Amino acid sequence: MRWHQKTVEDVIEELNSSLKGISSEEARERILEYGPNELKVKEKKTPFMMFLDQFRDFMILVLIAAAIISGFIGELSDTIAIIVIIVLNAVVGFIQEYRAEKAMAALKKMTAPTATVLRDGVPANIPALQLVPGDAVILEAGKIVPADMRVIEAAQLKLEEAALTGESEAVEKDVKALHDELLPTGDRKNMAYKGTFVTYGRGRGIVVATGMGTEIGKIATMLQEEEEVKTPLQKRLASFGQKLAIAVLAICAIVFSIGVMRGEQPMLMLLTAISLAVAAIPEALPAVITISLALGAKKLVKQNALIRKLPAVETLGSVTYICSDKTGTLTLNKMTVEELYVDGKIVGADQCVCPKEEGEHAGSPLQVLFTALSLSNDAQSDASGNVIGDPTEVALYNIAKNFGFDKKTLETDFPRVAEMPFDSDRKCMTTFHKAGVRGQGLGISDKQNTNPQSPIPNPQFISFTKGAVDVLIDKTTNVLTSEGIKPIDRNDLMQTNERMSADGLRVLGVAIRKWDQLPDDISPENVETGLTILGLVGMMDPPREEAKEAVLLCKTAGIKPVMITGDHPLTAKTIAERLGILEAGSRAIITGRELDNLSLEEFEERVEQIRVYARVAPEQKLKIVKALQDKGQFIAMTGDGVNDAPALKRADIGVAMGITGTDVSKEAAHMILLDDNFATIVKAVREGRKIYDNIRKFIKYLLTTNSGEIWTLFLAPLVGLPIPLLPIHILWINLVTDGLPALALSVEPAEGDVMKRPPRHPKESIFAHGLGSHAIWVGLLMAGIVLFVQAWSIRTEHAHWQTMVFTVLCLTQLGHVLAIRSEKESLFKIGLFSNSYLFGAVVLTFVFQMATVYIPFLNPVFKTEPLTLNELMFTLALSSVVFLAVEIEKFIRRRQGKR
């Protein structure tokens, strides 16, 4: 049997404790047996290890090898350049991760530093770390529950368990044993769990579990056992790096062999092959990716999204499903009155028109109802204006205050003189008030009650009763309308209650009764009878307005939003329909219990159709994420509770809430929303897609330029031409041409359709959508132009042929980088200056290239000679061919798209 199934007596006996707890001596012995009441966490990485981790990427290892080879053959400048790029890349990655860890430390809030415990029969405040099973702990409003405990005493004790169970409403606790062994955590009304919050009342509990043995501890264990999944970008780049390294080595071997076979000097061919290998390895790629991600992360912080791990920025661009917790993420986590049933009509809370107190409408049903909601209420406003109390009471307090019925003001005229608190057996609460001078505002003074049908003729006291409608309806005889008191129509009221409940609302009834004098016998049987119904109030934790827009944008972007919650299915369905996650009348909803009854095969058949999961446990959230991943989907999981943490870690990207989120969820997440706003995710998705687009543009540029160099060196001997480029030329083009323009591509603005296209297929190659074929045909075109210039120059006996070849290859690549700024749109449409960094990089690279040709002391270094004006114009004209060819390719693609 589990703790919730045992009686209080059985629990005390099993733990060898008492209603007054245990002795200090016993506590000392038990802490040696059970250990401190704390969650054990894995040892965190030191800053040094965090820095070393930046060098584990395959591409980085290839670059390190390239740097060693360059140094070995005497190209120290290239070795230094590669090492600088590698170290800068590591520093940027380290700083981002280290800053995020520091920000995490600053965000820590959820703790229970002390507990009030009975030791030796005397209350004492002790550190929560020292609690042991068998301790009797006193629970009071405003305190965090310090350990898992079986409730042994409850006086209107209510706990907010949203962090653990996902339930948005505070749960009332009692001491009765429960019989169902498999009850979900949220339905165990006699248990109080570590990390939950006491919102109302008081009580006592016997500690049954501490530290890692608590429910929160079990989640922490799941969290530590769950391995993180590699991001799409990491997977794609690892594959890309391995394939590229193999291809480059093979091509260099072929170039070396052909050159030697043609009679070239072996040392020259070795240097050429090694230079080509160094040039073909994209040393700027990790730097460009890191800078792109770091700039994206910096931009997202300004938009309230803190990135804990850099690859997470791009991962958002790949997600196909966003699995979101409901409470506090899609909703406000704040109970709000949505509808009122008064005077025979259901009206929205925002459509109410409450008449002024004076005049013919004084004492209208709506006025009396708002007065009751304000007075029969235990919520209080503190000095700073915050309303404190049970979430339901706060909702009623706020609606009354919004319409001018201030509790403090009303209490001066209607002071509370007696009460019967709410309890779960009778499902009601009643408060008594002295009828003051302003009684006429309720239609209860002599002056206002000339109508024989008036509700309350001149009472001395009034009582308000509120509670569950099905209970209240049996205690009432009349209903207050604008035409006076009328007999109650029970069927009509029950139908109204069912209609409001079907909309996912929590419905309360409110009633009134007059008294000539305060009754001596204030008991439910005597007081809660012969009531007059004032109306019904429907409440819910409403969806965020911005979340609705965000869900629509997700759908437009081809991302499927899914709600996963511990709440009631009706509530979940209503919220999902209002947000647009669930189509009206859809059956794409499943409960935790139904999920348990499905085999893994049956569940995986349905998982891609389900949009709402209700009443689920933490391990089921993990099961959902894993099932979707098994179907080849990429998952973003958002959440704020401890119950979300294992799924947050397992998901391709975990998104935690910064304000309401627990420390455990933040530690597990890749990204934290500092404003707890679901809509911020959409901004992050857009940024992620833009970054991936820019990385693809850089790879397209890099592969094409390297392809051009390789084809040039490979084909020249085959067509009978000498080796067109020297090692210094290859390394210069690699360093300057591939450097600045490539880095500038990382800040290219997002394309217009970035949020109107479906997500990339999770297994999509980095060469997809024609990138590979583009690199080959444009590389061949570049090589063709270069070899044409070489052949023509040699045939026409131009002494500067090698300088012309070197310059054409360099400037061709600059034309190419301008053409690939957009996948479809022409450069003339997006504008030359819309990426000022790229324009500046192209101009600067052009100036550098001209310097190698025309500055005398650089000529012997680069083995160049100044070109004549005609030669320069000839090279410029041919260098524009690639730009025009790529623009024509995009024009054809646009025409095909329209068709």
Side-chain angles (χ1 to χ4, degrees):
M1 290 177 72
R2 303 192 183 193
W3 294 112
H4 66 272
Q5 293 178 275
K6 299 177 189 289
T7 64
V8 172
E9 293 75 19
D10 289 342
V11 171
I12 288 170
E13 185 181 344
E14 189 162 333
L15 291 169
N16 195 18
S17 182
S18 71
L19 292 172
K20 293 186 177 181
I22 56 177
S23 67
S24 300
E25 182 68 30
E26 181 68 22
R28 279 192 289 272
E29 289 177 14
R30 291 191 186 192
I31 203 158
L32 293 173
E33 181 184 348
Y34 294 104
N37 176 33
E38 63 180 348
L39 300 182
K40 295 181 177 69
V41 293
K42 280 185 179 176
E43 201 172 311
K44 287 203 170 189
K45 281 191 286 189
T46 63
F48 179 67
M49 288 305 298
M50 214 181 281
F51 182 70
L52 283 185
D53 276 352
Q54 310 300 320
F55 296 94
R56 289 172 60 187
D57 186 81
F58 181 80
M59 286 295 300
I60 297 291
L61 296 175
V62 170
L63 286 180
I64 291 170
I68 293 167
I69 292 169
S70 297
F72 182 72
I73 64 170
E75 297 293 340
L76 287 177
S77 59
D78 213 54
T79 300
I80 291 166
I82 293 172
I83 289 171
V84 167
I85 284 171
I86 291 170
V87 172
L88 278 175
N89 172 72
V91 167
V92 172
F94 166 76
I95 287 171
Q96 176 64 25
E97 207 171 312
Y98 186 69
R99 273 184 184 165
E101 288 299 323
K102 287 292 180 191
M104 278 295 303
L107 285 169
K108 284 185 182 264
K109 289 174 185 173
M110 189 180 176
T111 54
T114 61
T116 306
V117 64
L118 291 171
R119 288 273 171 90
D120 305 311
V122 179
N125 271 332
I126 64 166
L129 281 173
Q130 296 176 13
L131 284 177
V132 292
D135 263 326
V137 177
I138 296 170
L139 299 171
E140 296 171 308
K143 292 284 184 78
I144 292 171
V145 178
D148 283 7
M149 55 189 75
R150 171 68 161 85
V151 178
I152 60 170
E153 180 188 314
Q156 285 85 56
L157 179 65
K158 291 187 180 181
L159 269 64
E160 195 230 74
E161 299 178 331
L164 188 65
T165 66
E167 284 279 9
S168 53
E169 289 182 37
V171 180
E172 187 175 4
K173 298 295 179 178
D174 58 41
V175 301
K176 294 175 188 171
L178 300 165
H179 302 296
D180 188 346
E181 182 188 353
L182 301 176
L183 271 180
T185 309
D187 291 337
R188 297 174 192 172
K189 300 293 176 69
N190 56 12
M191 298 293 294
Y193 292 106
K194 181 178 173 69
T196 58
F197 187 72
V198 183
T199 62
Y200 189 77
R202 58 182 175 76
R204 266 191 301 161
I206 292 282
V207 174
V208 296
T210 58
M212 298 302 281
T214 62
E215 288 296 319
I216 221 172
K218 291 173 189 172
I219 291 169
T221 303
M222 286 166 62
L223 199 54
Q224 289 172 18
E225 290 171 354
E226 202 54 57
E227 291 184 4
E228 283 193 51
V229 178
K230 272 195 169 185
T231 70
L233 186 62
Q234 288 169 327
K235 290 174 185 173
R236 288 180 180 119
L237 288 179
S239 171
F240 170 67
Q242 288 164 0
K243 288 174 184 172
L244 188 65
I246 293 164
V248 165
L249 291 173
I251 289 167
C252 291
I254 293 168
V255 168
F256 174 77
S257 303
I258 290 174
V260 171
M261 286 165 61
R262 285 191 75 253
E264 300 282 355
Q265 294 178 14
M267 184 52 68
L268 174 66
M269 288 314 302
L270 180 64
L271 287 174
T272 302
I274 290 172
S275 299
L276 185 60
V278 171
I281 296 294
E283 65 265 27
L285 180 59
V288 167
I289 289 169
T290 304
I291 289 167
S292 298
L293 296 174
L295 289 173
K298 188 177 179 183
K299 184 176 178 182
L300 285 171
V301 166
K302 293 176 184 174
Q303 297 174 348
N304 292 313
L306 172 71
I307 304 298
R308 290 191 66 228
K309 293 168 188 174
L310 272 182
V313 182
E314 181 276 335
T315 309
L316 272 164
S318 303
V319 297
T320 53
Y321 277 75
I322 296 180
C323 298
S324 174
D325 189 41
K326 177 185 76 69
T327 306
T329 309
L330 292 165
T331 66
L332 295 170
N333 198 14
K334 178 184 175 184
M335 287 298 283
T336 306
V337 174
E338 295 267 312
E339 286 183 350
L340 298 162
Y341 174 74
V342 63
D343 203 8
K345 299 184 292 289
I346 294 177
V347 288
D350 55 347
Q351 298 169 338
C352 286
V353 179
C354 191
K356 294 178 181 177
E357 291 184 12
E358 292 79 16
E360 60 178 312
H361 295 292
S364 71
L366 197 55
Q367 273 191 341
V368 183
L369 178 61
F370 282 144
T371 303
L373 296 182
S374 181
L375 289 170
S376 186
N377 195 317
D378 289 327
Q380 297 288 341
S381 179
D382 64 16
S384 57
N386 297 318
V387 185
I388 301 163
D390 176 82
T392 300
E393 300 266 82
V394 170
L396 301 177
Y397 178 100
N398 284 333
I399 186 77
K401 189 170 183 180
N402 291 346
F403 283 94
F405 291 81
D406 181 62
K407 183 180 177 183
K408 283 184 180 176
T409 307
L410 286 170
E411 280 181 334
T412 59
D413 296 313
F414 304 102
R416 189 184 295 192
V417 292
E419 65 184 279
M420 282 193 299
F422 181 90
D423 72 55
S424 52
D425 289 331
R426 62 182 228 284
K427 297 182 181 177
C428 285
M429 75 170 279
T430 297
T431 57
F432 284 84
H433 303 265
K434 192 169 173 57
V437 177
R438 289 182 67 211
Q440 60 186 5
L442 296 180
I444 58 175
S445 71
D446 287 331
K447 180 180 177 183
Q448 293 294 327
N449 282 279
T450 52
N451 186 336
Q453 280 199 319
S454 178
I456 311 162
N458 195 28
Q460 294 300 307
F461 296 91
I462 52 173
S463 65
F464 296 116
T465 301
K466 70 171 188 266
V469 178
D470 55 340
V471 172
L472 203 63
I473 211 163
D474 292 329
K475 301 174 185 288
T476 58
T477 52
N478 302 308
V479 60
L480 179 62
T481 71
S482 53
E483 298 170 2
I485 289 179
K486 290 187 175 178
I488 189 171
D489 184 339
R490 284 182 169 76
N491 287 336
D492 181 53
L493 266 177
M494 284 309 294
Q495 283 174 10
T496 303
N497 177 44
E498 286 164 11
R499 140 81 174 81
M500 292 171 76
S501 297
D503 287 341
L505 300 177
R506 184 189 176 198
V507 187
L508 282 182
V510 185
I512 192 170
R513 183 175 172 183
K514 69 177 178 91
W515 301 87
D516 293 328
Q517 60 184 32
L518 199 62
D520 295 327
D521 176 18
I522 298 182
S523 64
E525 296 77 18
N526 185 44
V527 169
E528 292 172 349
T529 182
L531 305 177
T532 298
I533 283 272
L534 298 176
L536 309 184
V537 183
M539 292 163 285
M540 73 158 36
D541 176 14
R544 293 173 178 265
E545 275 304 311
E546 60 272 26
K548 188 173 183 179
E549 295 169 25
V551 165
L552 183 62
L553 271 171
C554 283
K555 287 183 160 184
T556 306
I559 299 166
K560 296 179 178 69
V562 172
M563 180 195 288
I564 304 178
T565 178
D567 246 345
H568 193 278
L570 263 180
T571 309
K573 180 175 181 286
T574 302
I575 296 290
E577 285 179 351
R578 285 173 62 170
L579 285 169
I581 291 173
L582 201 63
E583 301 296 326
S586 170
R587 289 189 169 186
I589 182 168
I590 191 171
T591 64
R593 197 172 281 249
E594 290 170 331
L595 186 56
D596 268 343
N597 294 332
L598 289 177
S599 68
L600 187 62
E601 293 75 21
E602 289 171 327
F603 178 46
E604 287 194 355
E605 279 177 21
R606 290 183 56 189
V607 68
E608 290 177 302
Q609 281 72 52
I610 297 168
R611 294 291 175 268
V612 177
Y613 296 85
R615 285 280 191 228
V616 296
E619 55 274 16
Q620 289 178 315
K621 292 188 172 190
L622 195 55
K623 181 180 175 182
I624 294 160
V625 171
K626 285 180 176 177
L628 283 167
Q629 287 174 334
D630 288 346
K631 297 294 282 186
Q633 302 297 339
F634 264 81
I635 314 303
M637 170 74 187
T638 74
D640 57 358
V642 176
N643 59 338
D644 299 320
L648 285 177
K649 188 172 182 181
R650 172 69 193 197
D652 298 285
I653 178 163
V655 187
M657 303 297 126
I659 299 170
T660 59
T662 58
D663 287 344
V664 184
S665 67
K666 290 171 193 168
E667 289 285 356
H670 304 86
M671 181 174 104
I672 299 166
L673 301 184
L674 300 178
D675 58 355
D676 284 15
N677 194 336
F678 183 83
T680 304
I681 297 170
V682 179
K683 297 173 189 172
V685 168
R686 189 177 191 278
E687 192 66 24
R689 289 189 174 191
K690 182 195 87 172
I691 285 168
Y692 184 73
D693 283 354
N694 290 348
I695 289 169
R696 266 179 55 89
K697 287 169 191 173
F698 168 73
I699 291 172
K700 180 188 276 189
Y701 173 62
L702 176 122
L703 283 183
T704 306
T705 54
N706 290 359
S707 166
E709 293 163 27
I710 290 167
W711 283 120
T712 300
L713 291 168
F714 182 71
L715 294 174
L718 295 180
V719 295
L721 293 170
I723 296 296
L725 297 167
L726 297 172
I728 187 69
H729 297 153
I730 297 169
L731 294 174
W732 171 256
I733 290 172
N734 184 47
L735 188 66
V736 181
T737 316
D738 290 3
L740 289 174
L743 288 171
L745 276 175
S746 66
V747 293
E748 186 66 34
E751 303 232 14
D753 67 341
V754 72
M755 288 300 284
K756 294 177 183 173
R757 57 183 190 233
R760 299 183 301 279
H761 192 279
K763 294 181 181 176
E764 178 186 288
S765 164
I766 211 153
F767 300 102
H769 308 295
L771 188 149
S773 59
H774 175 95
I776 292 169
W777 82 259
V778 176
L780 277 169
L781 180 60
M782 283 181 182
I785 294 165
V786 169
L787 295 177
F788 170 75
V789 170
Q790 183 185 11
W792 178 83
S793 302
I794 291 171
R795 186 164 294 177
T796 55
E797 299 182 347
H798 279 74
H800 310 146
W801 69 265
Q802 198 161 46
T803 304
M804 291 173 71
V805 165
F806 175 38
T807 304
V808 166
L809 187 56
C810 177
L811 299 185
T812 295
Q813 294 180 2
L814 295 183
H816 179 243
V817 79
L818 290 172
I820 61 164
R821 281 184 55 198
S822 171
E823 291 274 350
K824 295 178 184 174
E825 298 301 333
S826 166
L827 175 67
F828 305 106
K829 182 175 180 181
I830 62 177
L832 194 61
F833 302 104
S834 56
N835 183 346
S836 56
Y837 293 101
L838 182 61
F839 179 74
V842 168
V843 170
L844 195 60
T845 305
F846 178 79
V847 171
F848 284 161
Q849 180 61 25
M850 291 299 101
T852 65
V853 175
Y854 291 108
I855 293 177
F857 76 85
L858 291 177
N859 291 148
V861 175
F862 289 95
K863 311 292 189 293
T864 55
E865 298 168 300
L867 299 176
T868 65
L869 181 62
N870 285 340
E871 287 172 337
L872 179 63
M873 297 308 292
F874 179 67
T875 57
L876 288 173
L878 283 175
S879 297
S880 64
V881 170
V882 167
F883 170 78
L884 294 171
V886 175
E887 283 292 335
I888 290 167
E889 179 198 29
K890 291 194 292 184
F891 174 75
I892 293 167
R893 192 177 292 171
R894 287 196 300 274
R895 290 290 297 271
Q896 288 174 340
K898 285 179 182 176
R899 282 207 296 270

